Amino acid sequence: MIGAQWGDEGKGKITDLLSGSADVVVRYQGGVNAGHTVVVQGQTFKLHLIPSGILYPETECIIGSGTVIDPKVLLQELDQLHELGIATDKLHISESAHVTMPYHRLIDQASEEKRGSHKIGTTGRGIGPTYADKSERTGIRIVDLMLQDDLVKQLRWTVNYKNVILEKLYDLPPLDPEAVIEEYLGYAERLRPHVVDSSLRIYDAIQQKRNILFEGAQGTLLDLDHGTYPYVTSSNPVAGGACIGSGVGPTMIDRVIGVAKAYTTRVGEGPFPTELDGEVGELLCDRGAEFGTTTGRRRRCGWFDGVIGRYAVRINGLDCLAITKLDVLDTLDEIKVCVAYDIDGKQINDFPTSARLFAQCTPIYKTLPGWKQSTADCRTLDDLPKPALAYLKYLAELMEVPIAIVSLGASRDQTIIVEDPIHGPKRALLYSNGTASPVM
Ligand code: GDP
Ligand code: IMO
Ligand code: MG
């Protein structure tokens, strides 16, 4: 299950919903930059690293090898769940995952400041620098945290090395290596009971024919390779990332579910063709409560973008979609959908890889009628006002992918399940009746 836009599509809600059918839920990339909100019986849970399946006592949750783990934040998350009476003994952490260190956070924030007007608008959680160290092969992994003597030697060297960067490049005070060592040795002891060989564990679950749900963080357009580079995150949120970030072969994946909002949001810098600056943008932000789960930043809002929607279908090989936050559009007279872009009078139908070209794209819209009534209590497609159903059908046709789930509110029950994407007949969703037209 992946985000089909720029993140915050409602992946937390949909993962929680589908976790009822999953035996294992795996996070495979990203770190505490993610903020996944789950609302159950009026109680709100904000998860950054722990998979959104954690609220089901029987579900095993795995933080996979492709993630980057900030132990401090992870332990805070565990403590919060304990306080709420949620069991966390079924949470497992990959020994291959990389560890976010204090210098990563400092470098992330300081480098953003140095970039000035070219800043990326990161979450400031040290994600880029942690992945950079992984690529540079100087990173510290969970398995290293578990080996006390080696860790002490490794950290003494690394902290002193990073201090040169902090002091000389960013004019920041150095970190005390011994304090960092003590802090992280403490984290290591608390995390130790959760640490496993995650790929082996997932493979065993596959052999036992258990259902495994891979929960993406961020979204397709934030993908390091396929997103709006350089305004992206440093991991691979796309479906292919699930294989790499959890150590599972592509032949083991049965179905790919994309989550998209009924409109678009983006937090952080970077081009956003359908962004709305005026009244409608404000309305979407207010009705959608579009403030970041991790940083509290106001999210930029705009109309649904069918070009990036089709791109997400292609890049992820989507089988079906979950459309969230349809209820946010309830009060609008009319709703626009971007069907293509225009650059200097030339129509562009496909997402341009060049950031420069993408920044020049202006949307070509199709306007559909609004429905001007609440959808929050709809529980079947038949309950929906006709224009709302027509809107969903239009999105499915535009992207040539069926809609399996419609979400009409933050709570678990505010959902229309058109077809259960986990237990439903594999691929029967697409092209039923032998036609090429997607069904809903
Ligand atoms: P994620 O990062 O993809 O998990 O999404 P976030 O949790 O960051 O942001 C989605 C926000 O929308 C959260 O506050 C959810 O509680 C809320 N939400 C999810 N689905 C719906 C929906 O269908 N309608 C409304 N109004 N809110 C929703
Ligand atoms: P979830 O999982 C939305 C954005 C940041 C910034 C860019 C790079 O909740 O959907 P980073 O800190 O990753 O180096 O920042 O990516 N970003 C997100 N935007 N949702 C997220 O996660 C995000 N995680 C990172 O705002 O533009
Ligand atoms: Mg989020």
Side-chain angles (χ1 to χ4, degrees), residues 391-422:
Y391 180 67
L392 290 171
K393 282 195 167 148
Y394 185 72
L395 296 187
E397 271 161 28
L398 188 64
M399 289 183 282
E400 296 183 30
V401 77
I403 294 170
I405 295 174
V406 183
S407 173
L408 310 139
S411 307
R412 214 182 251 174
D413 62 310
Q414 289 180 299
T415 315
I416 299 173
I417 308 227
V418 185
E419 172 109 42
D420 181 335
I422 293 189

Side-chain angles (χ1 to χ4, degrees), residues 7-11 33-37 292-294 299:
D8 301 325
E9 295 91 347
K11 298 176 295 294
N33 48 349
H36 296 181
T37 316
T293 310
T294 300
R299 296 173 184 152

Side-chain angles (χ1 to χ4, degrees), residues 101 103 140-141 143-160 176-186 188-189:
M101 304 296 297
Y103 46 79
I140 289 166
R141 303 197 296 170
V143 69
D144 303 321
L145 271 195
M146 298 299 122
L147 300 169
Q148 192 166 339
D149 293 344
D150 290 2
L151 180 72
V152 171
K153 275 189 235 145
Q154 198 182 355
L155 273 184
R156 245 177 225 139
W157 186 87
T158 311
V159 175
N160 281 319
D176 173 4
E178 301 311 314
V180 175
I181 289 167
E182 201 186 317
E183 182 185 347
Y184 277 71
L185 285 178
E189 282 326 296

Side-chain angles (χ1 to χ4, degrees), residues 267-337:
V267 59
E269 306 301 315
F272 176 6
T274 63
E275 183 169 14
L276 293 164
D277 290 325
E279 213 177 292
V280 182
E282 294 282 321
L283 180 136
L284 293 176
C285 184
D286 293 345
R287 281 188 56 81
E290 295 295 357
F291 293 90
T293 310
T294 300
T295 59
R297 288 180 293 176
R298 189 181 173 85
R299 296 173 184 152
R300 301 154 66 192
C301 295
W303 296 119
F304 189 90
D305 187 332
V307 182
I308 69 163
R310 282 196 302 265
Y311 181 65
V313 171
R314 162 156 65 94
I315 290 292
N316 297 293
L318 293 187
D319 289 301
C320 60
L321 277 171
I323 296 287
T324 61
K325 304 190 95 160
L326 186 70
D327 55 298
V328 173
L329 306 180
D330 283 352
T331 60
L332 293 167
D333 291 322
E334 54 180 36
I335 299 164
K336 291 186 183 180
V337 176

Side-chain angles (χ1 to χ4, degrees), residues 81-311:
L81 289 172
H82 283 159
E83 276 168 28
L84 295 166
I86 311 279
T88 55
D89 52 311
K90 286 203 166 61
L91 174 74
H92 305 296
I93 301 166
S94 172
E95 51 192 7
S96 314
H98 278 249
V99 181
T100 297
M101 304 296 297
Y103 46 79
H104 290 136
R105 283 192 295 267
L106 291 169
I107 291 172
D108 186 6
Q109 289 157 17
S111 71
E112 278 282 273
E113 220 175 289
K114 275 242 184 293
R115 279 170 192 260
S117 62
H118 297 291
K119 71 173 185 198
I120 291 163
T122 72
T123 58
R125 299 295 191 269
I127 304 301
T130 313
Y131 278 114
D133 277 4
K134 174 178 174 173
S135 299
E136 210 193 6
R137 291 151 297 174
T138 53
I140 289 166
R141 303 197 296 170
I142 291 288
V143 69
D144 303 321
L145 271 195
M146 298 299 122
L147 300 169
Q148 192 166 339
D149 293 344
D150 290 2
L151 180 72
V152 171
K153 275 189 235 145
Q154 198 182 355
L155 273 184
R156 245 177 225 139
W157 186 87
T158 311
V159 175
N160 281 319
Y161 172 70
K162 295 289 177 183
N163 275 344
V164 178
I165 297 170
L166 290 175
E167 288 183 275
K168 301 270 186 262
L169 198 57
Y170 297 115
D171 280 331
L172 288 172
L175 291 163
D176 173 4
E178 301 311 314
V180 175
I181 289 167
E182 201 186 317
E183 182 185 347
Y184 277 71
L185 285 178
Y187 297 150
E189 282 326 296
R190 285 199 59 199
L191 291 179
R192 193 179 295 281
H194 297 280
V195 176
V196 296
D197 177 340
S198 55
S199 143
L200 179 62
R201 215 167 173 104
I202 298 167
Y203 190 72
D204 285 346
I206 294 170
Q207 298 293 80
Q208 291 159 21
K209 306 258 182 280
R210 298 171 78 202
N211 273 326
I212 301 164
L213 175 64
F214 298 91
E215 176 185 11
Q218 287 80 50
T220 305
L221 276 294
L222 288 173
D223 186 275
L224 181 60
D225 290 84
H226 302 288
T228 48
Y229 191 89
Y231 300 101
V232 292
T233 191
S234 300
S235 68
N236 290 111
V238 298
C243 292
I244 295 170
S246 51
V248 162
T251 51
M252 313 266 180
I253 311 283
D254 295 313
R255 183 172 278 172
V256 183
I257 307 159
V259 185
K261 272 179 197 170
Y263 51 100
T264 312
T265 63
R266 170 161 212 179
V267 59
E269 306 301 315
F272 176 6
T274 63
E275 183 169 14
L276 293 164
D277 290 325
E279 213 177 292
V280 182
E282 294 282 321
L283 180 136
L284 293 176
C285 184
D286 293 345
R287 281 188 56 81
E290 295 295 357
F291 293 90
T293 310
T294 300
T295 59
R297 288 180 293 176
R298 189 181 173 85
R299 296 173 184 152
R300 301 154 66 192
C301 295
W303 296 119
F304 189 90
D305 187 332
V307 182
I308 69 163
R310 282 196 302 265
Y311 181 65

